[in-house]
């Protein structure tokens, strides 16, 4: 169906900046692999998407209006099979570069990529291009005459206070999150939630806590992640695409957040709707440090906390190794 349900009924189990691994988010544009992005005007395809921050929302809007040609100005035969687009997150002023786009790519497929790239859950996204209104999920980029290098606008659904929550999570300020209905005992209410009974309100609050954790983990806001986890946010919760906060933290190489999530019980084996675990996502996006950290944590959990290096030099391993060597020499 076109457009996402603003009521977010697909969130399951409660309650998401492209930067180098182990570093805080900064204003320098980098790819998901950690390398600097090319000139924004260059039309090139890369193996991974990336993030580009602009100094102000006004500059982003001016760039969108002046730097790129209007729809239909390029000859269809001249459009490459694979190209890049730029997505402006209107509510924060951030500009993201999305590679490996195709003319036959559906809006839903693009939003699935943005879920991982922007850290904004799929069901909260509202995409627009020029003045064509909301892009329907089952339409294609070709249908909307989206051209290479074009700028799409992404807004968060304003229904039920979700925009304010997303902006606070992007900023990573625990004090702001505290007052937006993510912790038990919060007095935050919306026109819709004020009519909830106790059970409905708790589920609604858990959804908001999960979204805040998802975005904060993606952006590498360690203090916000710790605050949310300590207040009961569900690190095993899933987005509508089946992704957990660990999926997006691994995708962006947020090592400190990965460690925190794992220490609170996050799983490296949960698969998303595409069958990818956090480990698989890190491997696909060449996040080697993320992959290694999750692997070591999983190894220690299975071996009772023993370090892999100690196991390789321990007496049990050496004994087994010597026994295997003896059998090989005897030809057995």
């Amino acid at each position: 169906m076109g457009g996402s349900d603003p009521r977010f009924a697909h969130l399951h189990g409660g309650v998401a900046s492209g930067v180098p691994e182990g570093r805080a988010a900064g204003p320098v544009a980098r790819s998901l692999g950690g390398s600097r992005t090319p000139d924004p005007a260059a039309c090139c395809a890369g193996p991974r998407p990336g993030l580009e921050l602009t100094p102000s929302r006004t500059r982003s809007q001016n760039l969108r209006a002046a730097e790129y040609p209007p729809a239909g100005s390029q000859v269809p035969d001249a459009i490459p099979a694979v190209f890049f687009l730029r997505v402006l997150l209107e509510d924060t002023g951030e500009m993201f570069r999305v590679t490996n786009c195709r003319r036959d790519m559906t809006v839903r497929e693009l939003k699935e990529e943005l879920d991982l790239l922007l850290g904004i859950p799929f069901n909260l996204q509202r995409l627009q291009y020029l003045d064509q209104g909301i892009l329907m999920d089952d339409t294609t980029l070709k249908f909307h005459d989206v051209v290479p290098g074009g700028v799409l606008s992404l807004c968060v659904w304003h229904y039920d206070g979700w925009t304010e929550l997303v902006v606070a999570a992007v900023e990573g300020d625990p004090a702001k999150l505290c007052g937006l209905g993510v912790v038990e005992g919060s007095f935050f209410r919306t026109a819709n939630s004020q009519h909830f009974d106790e059970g409905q309100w708790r589920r609604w609050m858990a959804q908001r806590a999960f979204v805040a954790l998802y975005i904060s983990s993606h952006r590498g806001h360690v203090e916000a992640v710790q605050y949310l986890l300590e207040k009961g946010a569900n690190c095993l919760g899933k987005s509508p695409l089946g992704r957990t906060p660990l999926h997006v933290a691994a995708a962006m190489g947020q090592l400190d957040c990965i460690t925190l999530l794992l220490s609170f019980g996050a799983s490296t084996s949960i698969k998303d709707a595409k069958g990818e675990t956090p480990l698989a996502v890190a491997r696909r996006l060449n996040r080697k440090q993320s992959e290694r950290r999750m692997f070591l944590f999983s190894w220690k959990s299975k071996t009772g906390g023993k370090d892999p290096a100690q196991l390789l030099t321990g007496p049990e391993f050496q004994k087994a190794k010597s026994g295997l060597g003896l059998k090989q020499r005897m030809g057995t």
Side-chain angles (χ1 to χ4, degrees), residues 12-133:
H12 304 295
V15 176
S17 69
V19 295
E21 292 190 331
R23 296 187 183 179
V28 180
R30 294 182 180 273
S31 68
L32 271 176
S35 61
R36 293 182 180 272
T37 58
D39 186 334
C43 180
C44 59
R48 296 179 297 277
L51 162 66
E52 184 175 315
L53 301 182
T54 55
S56 69
R57 178 175 173 178
T58 301
R59 179 179 172 186
S60 297
Q61 293 172 328
N62 291 339
L63 179 147
R64 177 183 59 184
E67 187 175 350
Y68 295 101
S73 64
Q74 294 194 23
V75 179
D77 292 341
I79 297 179
V82 179
F83 52 89
F84 79 91
L85 293 174
R86 303 177 77 187
V87 176
L88 174 65
L89 184 51
E90 293 280 358
D91 300 299
T92 65
E94 296 166 291
M95 185 75 80
F96 296 79
R97 182 186 178 94
V98 188
T99 58
N100 293 334
C101 297
R102 311 176 316 277
R103 298 193 71 206
D104 63 349
M105 187 180 201
T106 66
V107 172
R108 179 183 174 87
E109 289 175 324
L110 177 60
K111 289 167 70 173
E112 290 175 355
E113 290 295 320
L114 297 179
D115 183 286
L116 201 60
L117 172 60
L118 278 68
I120 308 298
F122 171 86
N123 61 314
L124 294 179
Q125 299 176 26
R126 182 161 55 93
L127 276 177
Q128 295 175 284
Y129 183 59
L130 301 178
D131 298 321
Q132 298 185 22

Side-chain angles (χ1 to χ4, degrees), residues 16-17 114-121 166 169-170 210-220 239 244-245 248-249 252:
S17 69
L114 297 179
D115 183 286
L116 201 60
L117 172 60
L118 278 68
I120 308 298
V166 168
V170 168
F210 169 78
V211 169
L213 180 62
Y214 195 85
I215 298 172
S216 297
S217 299
H218 176 276
R219 302 305 172 93
S239 74
T244 66
V248 290
M252 305 311 292

Side-chain angles (χ1 to χ4, degrees), residues 221-238:
H221 297 312
V222 179
E223 291 184 3
V225 170
Q226 183 165 353
Y227 170 79
L228 291 165
L229 289 170
E230 290 177 349
K231 293 298 182 180
N234 185 9
C235 62
L236 294 176
K238 297 180 181 180

Side-chain angles (χ1 to χ4, degrees), residues 98-332:
V98 188
T99 58
N100 293 334
C101 297
R102 311 176 316 277
R103 298 193 71 206
D104 63 349
M105 187 180 201
T106 66
V107 172
R108 179 183 174 87
E109 289 175 324
L110 177 60
K111 289 167 70 173
E112 290 175 355
E113 290 295 320
L114 297 179
D115 183 286
L116 201 60
L117 172 60
L118 278 68
I120 308 298
F122 171 86
N123 61 314
L124 294 179
Q125 299 176 26
R126 182 161 55 93
L127 276 177
Q128 295 175 284
Y129 183 59
L130 301 178
D131 298 321
Q132 298 185 22
I134 300 173
L135 306 188
M136 309 301 280
D137 286 357
D138 57 353
T139 58
T140 64
L141 300 183
K142 178 181 178 180
F143 176 83
H144 295 286
D145 293 324
V146 177
V147 298
V151 177
L152 279 71
S153 296
L154 189 149
C155 297
V156 176
W157 286 101
H158 296 291
Y159 179 85
D160 223 15
W162 289 99
T163 303
E164 295 85 351
L165 180 67
V166 168
V167 172
V170 168
E171 294 177 0
D173 187 346
K176 290 184 179 180
L177 291 171
C178 176
L180 291 173
V182 298
V183 296
E184 192 168 348
S186 171
F187 294 103
F188 179 81
R189 295 292 189 278
T190 64
N192 181 50
S193 66
Q194 65 181 345
H195 301 292
F196 291 164
D197 59 31
E198 185 65 21
Q200 291 173 322
W201 184 82
R202 288 181 179 276
R203 289 190 293 273
W204 179 76
M205 183 195 70
Q207 290 176 353
R208 293 177 68 83
F210 169 78
V211 169
L213 180 62
Y214 195 85
I215 298 172
S216 297
S217 299
H218 176 276
R219 302 305 172 93
H221 297 312
V222 179
E223 291 184 3
V225 170
Q226 183 165 353
Y227 170 79
L228 291 165
L229 289 170
E230 290 177 349
K231 293 298 182 180
N234 185 9
C235 62
L236 294 176
K238 297 180 181 180
S239 74
L241 296 177
R243 290 170 179 154
T244 66
L246 189 59
H247 277 90
V248 290
M252 305 311 292
Q254 308 293 4
L255 298 181
D256 292 337
C257 289
I258 288 173
T259 300
L260 260 178
L261 291 166
L262 290 171
S263 66
F264 274 81
S267 173
T268 60
S269 59
I270 293 179
K271 295 181 179 181
D272 63 15
K274 294 186 175 182
E276 287 190 312
T277 64
L279 274 168
V281 169
R283 186 177 303 116
R284 173 168 64 86
L285 298 177
N286 198 32
R287 294 296 192 182
K288 294 182 179 179
Q289 293 185 51
S290 297
E291 183 182 3
R292 185 174 186 273
R293 182 157 301 190
M294 289 186 288
F295 174 79
L296 290 178
F297 189 93
S298 179
W299 180 295
K300 289 181 180 180
S301 298
K302 292 179 180 179
T303 57
K306 294 182 179 180
D307 189 278
Q310 295 177 345
L311 291 175
L312 293 177
T313 58
E316 296 86 357
F317 178 81
Q318 294 299 327
K319 183 177 180 180
K321 183 178 178 181
S322 62
L324 178 61
L326 179 61
K327 288 182 179 181
Q328 289 176 338
R329 288 194 297 272
M330 295 179 64
T332 59

